[in-house]
Each structure stands twice: as C-alpha cells, then as structure tokens.
Amino acid sequence: MDLDVHGGRKEKMKSLKNNASSGVKWTATSQFGRNGLQLVSTIILARLLAPSDFGLIGMATVVIGFGALFKDLGTSAAVIQRKNLTEELVSSIFWMNAAFGFLVMVSISLASPLVAAFYQEARVEPILKLLSVTFFISGLSILQQAILERELEFRKLSLVEISATLVGSLVGIGSALNGYGVWSLVYQTLATASATTVMLWTASRWRPKPLCRWDEVKSVRSYSLNLTGFNVFNYFVRNADYLLIGRYLGARDLGFYTLAYQIMLIPLHSISAVVGRVMFPLYSQMQEDTARFRSAYLKVAGAIALITFPMMFGLWAVVEPFILTLFGPPWKPVISLLMILAPVGLIQSIGTTVGGIYQARGRTDWMFRWGVAAGVIYLLAFIIGLRWGIVGVAVAYAITSLMLTYPNFAIPFTLIDLPIRNFSEVLWRPFVACLIMFAGILALKIILPPDLTGNWVLAVLVPVGGLIYLATNWLMNRNQVMELIGIVGGQQ
C-alpha cells in the first residue's frame, strides 16, 4: 500500500512538472511573440509619431489601467484557485463580469472630462471615451481566459494572444502611416481587445448559462475582494508617478518616462509574468503541501533570475547605443532614466513572484495589507522626487524599491516556511555572473573605436556579453543552468 501511494505521488509530481514545462513553453512563446511584435510596432510608431502622442496615451492609460482592475473583481484568480467549480458559480461570475465591464465603460466615459481637466489637456477626453469601449469588449471573455488557464490550455492562449497582438499592431501602424496621429495608438488597443475576445470564444468550449446566483458569487467574495483591493491600491500607487509627471511636468516628459518605464518592465512582462501565470494554477494544486510548494518556488525564482538579471545588467551597460540606435536622438533623455530604473526592473522581476504565494495560499488579505503599507511609502517618495523632475521621480522609485526589498519577500515567505537565507542561495550565483559580464562589457567599450556607430557597438557588445555570462554560469552555476534546461526541455 505504501509503495502504491508513493508511486502515485511520484506520478502526480511528474504530471505537474510536465504541465509546468509545457505551460512555460507556450506562455513564453506568447509573451516573446507579443513583446517582439510590440517592440517592433513601438519602434515604428516612435518614428511616425511625436513623443507627445505617447504622452497623451500615457495619461489615458493610467485611467484605463485603473478601470481594468474592476472588470472582474478578482474572480478570475478565484476560479483558478478554487478546487471545485460549479456551473452555477462560473456562469454567475461571467454575467457579473459582463455587467461590470459595461459599468466601467460608462463610468470612464462620464469621467473623461474630469480627467482632461486634471491633466489640463483637452485631447485626453475623446481618447478616453473611445478607449473605454475596450472594457465592454474584454468583459465578455474574462471567464473564457480564466478557464483555459485553469485547464492549463496555454497552447490555445498563446495562439490567441499572438494573433490578437499582430492584428492590433497592423492596425496601429497602418493608421499611423495614414496620418491618424495619436488615434493610431487608440485604434491599436481597440483592435487588440476585439480580436482577443473573438478568438477566446472560439478557443474555449465553455459557454455561459442564462443564470446568475448571488449566493454562488458570495462564496468567493472574501478572496476576490481582498485581491481586488490590493490590485486597486497597488495600481494607483504604481501609476502615481505617471499621474504626477503628466499633471505637473507635461506630456513630453511623460512620454520619455513612459518609454523608459516600459523598457524597464520588459523582463517582468517577458519572463516573470510568463512563469507566474503558469505556476499560479500549479501552486494552487500543491497549496496544502508546503515542502513541495517551497521547493517549486525556489526553482522558479532561480530560473527567473538566470534570465532576467543579465537582461537588466546588459541593458544598463549598453543603454546609450540601445536607445539612440532603436529610437533615435529625440529620445535621448530616456538614457539617464533607464540607467536609474534598470535596478528596479531587476528587483521587480523576482519581487513579482510572491503574488503567487499569497494567492495560492488564499491569503489575499495579507497581500492587501502589505500593498497598502508599501504603497504609501512609494507615493510619498514620488511626491518628494517630483521636485527634481522625471529624473528625481525615477531616483525616488529606485531608492524605495531597494528599501522595501526585504519585507516584500520576508512576509509571504512565512506562508511557506522559507528562510531568506535559502532564497538568497538561489540568487547570488546569477548575480555574480552578471557583475562579471557587466565588467567585461565596460572593458570592451573602452577599447572600441570612439567613432563606431551605435548599431555596430550593439552588434559587438551584446553577443560578447552573452558569451561571458554563459561561460561564467557554466563554470560556477552549472547545476542551476541544467535545471533551467531541464524545465525548458521538459526533462524530468
């Protein structure tokens, strides 16, 4: 009997590993595909549009992103985390989400004149009114996506997301070429949302039943509302820099800051979000086995560090030729901002992984409380930094992120009995390898001809830096590298 139980447990673990490997592959395919398309479209649009156009969208995006937090009230995560689902619960949540999508659309449309007055920029009002339609569109497919994620159907999700991003990019670029200016970015967003909803309905077999029972929804109320509370407060704080810059420094400075911020978030969006999206449903399956949960988390954190740390160190080392070559001289102020924000990207690429611990353990109340405490500190830092312009805001962001690093990890680690010391052991080797890579790139930059153009500088420094990092890891961190290769390759 004991042998059978043990064998069954091993088979279950093997199945989880296979699901994780497959999920990471397909989600990574989606993320890299979308990021690649978005990067190409951003580069093209940056040359066709003015920085102020991006600044206007940045102003509107703060409000749109905030409204997005209410379109499902955390119910998607609850559907994924919940062990047993009923048709009554899922259908009830679908109709509630559809209603909230419509309500958010109307609310933002009505509030758009106030937002324009806040920014002292009349052009924001019509932009917001049209962008608000995306809430009604996307509200009709939230549950389809959550169910596909719960069922680990990441292949279908990957195809949907890449295809929708391609549609949006083509619409945006085509509109810019035809002289639509800032509206090109608006049409791009609408096209992406519409294509996503249509494709999710096509990919998902589930269809809502014509029923809505409030008693069913109440069963996930505590979990979802705490998660929503965290997301709302966290979003407001994380976008307070956008609000303050847009209000007091103008669209042009916000355009520079927005581009720097988006580039800084590339590791988080392309790596951490990929792994976190796959691991959350898997963490939920092992939520009652602390030892397995802890072991899985450490492997995930180490794998993320292996990839994201060199991305941020490498960007830090080649930031000037990177910006001037890809975006052009008008975007030169972004260089100093990225040098300040690159360490923030490194910290957040790992820091964002703790959300899965809170959610899988069902402690979104802890998540909310910590979010409020940290958020107040960030907000005060942004207000202080604003005195020195966009550079001051970026410096305030970096300093505060560094200050809050320890409690950001220590608090959720208590839920899985994970000492900080054990966590540090999986990070220090990739960090040291990055320092060696960084020193090698700087040394090579010194001996390169001063008249070498930016594209040639990148062509030399990027591959050399990559080789230094790979060689260093192979010498001092081979076990972790092999684990990552095993995860990616599906080896057990």
Side-chain angles (χ1 to χ4, degrees):
M1 178 67 71
D2 290 340
L3 289 176
D4 289 339
V5 171
H6 182 65
R9 187 171 184 272
K10 288 182 66 177
E11 285 300 315
K12 185 176 181 181
M13 291 178 65
K14 183 176 180 180
S15 176
L16 288 175
K17 289 180 181 178
N18 287 333
N19 288 335
S21 177
S22 175
V24 168
K25 286 179 185 177
W26 282 109
T27 307
T29 299
S30 170
Q31 198 70 29
F32 283 120
R34 285 184 294 155
N35 283 347
L37 289 169
Q38 288 167 356
L39 179 60
V40 171
S41 66
T42 299
I43 292 172
I44 295 173
L45 290 169
R47 294 183 176 275
L48 295 173
L49 306 175
S52 60
D53 292 331
F54 286 87
L56 287 170
I57 291 296
M59 293 176 181
T61 299
V62 173
V63 180
I64 292 298
F66 181 74
L69 301 174
F70 296 94
K71 66 183 181 182
D72 76 337
L73 295 178
T75 53
S76 295
V79 166
I80 296 172
Q81 191 264 353
R82 196 176 178 89
K83 288 185 177 181
N84 300 307
L85 290 178
T86 64
E87 182 60 47
E88 291 81 2
L89 173 63
V90 181
S91 292
S92 298
I93 290 176
F94 171 84
W95 294 112
M96 185 186 74
N97 288 342
F100 266 98
F102 179 79
L103 180 62
V104 172
M105 176 187 73
V106 173
S107 299
I108 289 181
S109 181
L110 293 174
S112 59
L114 299 177
V115 176
F118 171 81
Y119 282 121
Q120 298 179 351
E121 177 57 76
R123 291 175 293 175
V124 173
E125 181 179 345
I127 290 173
L128 265 179
K129 286 182 176 179
L130 189 52
L131 283 176
S132 69
V133 178
T134 60
F135 290 103
F136 177 70
I137 296 171
S138 60
L140 299 174
S141 59
I142 296 171
L143 254 294
Q144 277 77 4
Q145 178 171 329
I147 290 172
L148 287 173
E149 289 186 12
R150 177 185 171 88
E151 296 173 350
L152 304 176
E153 294 280 3
F154 290 104
R155 177 180 176 275
K156 291 182 179 179
L157 287 169
S158 173
L159 296 175
V160 167
E161 291 164 352
I162 292 175
S163 300
T165 302
L166 177 60
V167 170
S169 298
L170 292 175
V171 169
I173 293 171
S175 300
L177 288 171
N178 282 282
Y180 285 94
V182 67
W183 292 102
S184 306
L185 301 172
V186 177
Y187 299 152
Q188 181 180 28
T189 302
L190 284 170
T192 302
S194 300
T196 299
T197 292
V198 170
M199 293 178 190
L200 282 173
W201 273 77
T202 303
S204 175
R205 296 184 301 272
W206 179 81
R207 294 293 182 268
K209 298 291 189 297
L211 53 89
C212 185
R213 297 179 181 172
W214 177 244
D215 288 343
E216 291 288 336
V217 176
K218 283 168 59 176
S219 66
V220 298
R221 181 176 57 186
S222 177
Y223 180 97
S224 61
L225 289 183
N226 274 308
L227 180 58
T228 300
F230 168 80
N231 288 336
V232 168
F233 193 84
N234 186 62
Y235 184 84
F236 172 75
V237 172
R238 295 298 182 183
N239 286 275
D241 46 355
Y242 278 27
L243 285 167
L244 292 169
I245 291 171
R247 174 63 177 83
Y248 295 103
L249 302 180
R252 187 171 181 271
D253 278 356
L254 181 57
F256 293 135
Y257 188 88
T258 299
L259 181 61
Y261 193 89
Q262 289 176 346
I263 295 173
M264 179 268 288
L265 289 179
I266 286 175
L268 191 150
H269 288 159
S270 60
I271 306 298
S272 304
V274 167
V275 178
R277 183 180 181 185
V278 174
M279 293 309 298
F280 172 46
L282 294 174
Y283 286 156
S284 296
Q285 294 181 31
M286 61 179 77
Q287 58 184 282
E288 297 177 355
D289 190 336
T290 300
R292 287 176 61 205
F293 197 147
R294 182 172 57 246
S295 175
Y297 178 81
L298 286 174
K299 289 181 179 179
V300 166
I304 290 174
L306 273 173
I307 302 172
T308 61
F309 282 14
M311 292 174 69
M312 285 292 91
F313 270 97
L315 177 62
W316 203 10
V318 301
V319 61
E320 183 174 358
F322 175 81
I323 291 298
L324 295 180
T325 300
L326 293 183
F327 298 96
W331 296 92
K332 189 174 182 180
V334 174
I335 295 173
S336 58
L337 294 176
L338 267 179
M339 293 184 69
I340 298 167
L341 292 175
V344 178
L346 185 147
I347 294 171
Q348 290 194 356
S349 69
I350 299 296
T352 189
T353 60
V354 301
I357 298 176
Y358 287 117
Q359 294 179 56
R361 283 296 205 182
R363 296 315 305 259
T364 52
D365 54 336
W366 284 27
M367 191 178 184
F368 174 61
R369 292 167 191 163
W370 168 244
V372 171
V376 170
I377 298 173
Y378 272 110
L379 182 57
L380 292 174
F382 292 149
I383 293 172
I384 294 171
L386 189 66
R387 179 178 178 183
W388 292 274
I390 52 177
V391 172
V393 175
V395 170
Y397 194 0
I399 293 174
T400 306
S401 296
L402 185 61
M403 288 172 50
L404 298 180
T405 297
Y406 179 82
N408 182 66
F409 291 107
I411 295 171
F413 283 179
T414 61
L415 295 173
I416 56 174
D417 300 328
L418 174 59
I420 288 290
R421 180 183 66 258
N422 294 6
F423 178 62
S424 301
E425 288 174 358
V426 303
L427 300 183
W428 76 265
R429 288 184 178 87
F431 188 82
V432 171
C434 286
L435 289 176
I436 296 172
M437 176 196 73
F438 185 76
I441 293 175
L442 292 185
L444 185 56
K445 282 178 68 176
I446 294 174
I447 64 176
L448 286 177
D451 58 344
L452 202 63
T453 58
N455 54 337
W456 281 107
V457 171
L458 290 176
V460 173
L461 296 182
V462 172
V464 170
L467 289 174
I468 294 173
Y469 180 71
L470 290 173
T472 304
N473 265 299
W474 189 251
L475 292 174
M476 62 181 290
N477 194 25
R478 190 172 304 181
N479 290 339
Q480 204 170 1
V481 172
M482 294 306 296
E483 277 189 0
L484 177 60
I485 293 174
I487 292 173
V488 174
Q491 301 172 7
Q492 307 304 322

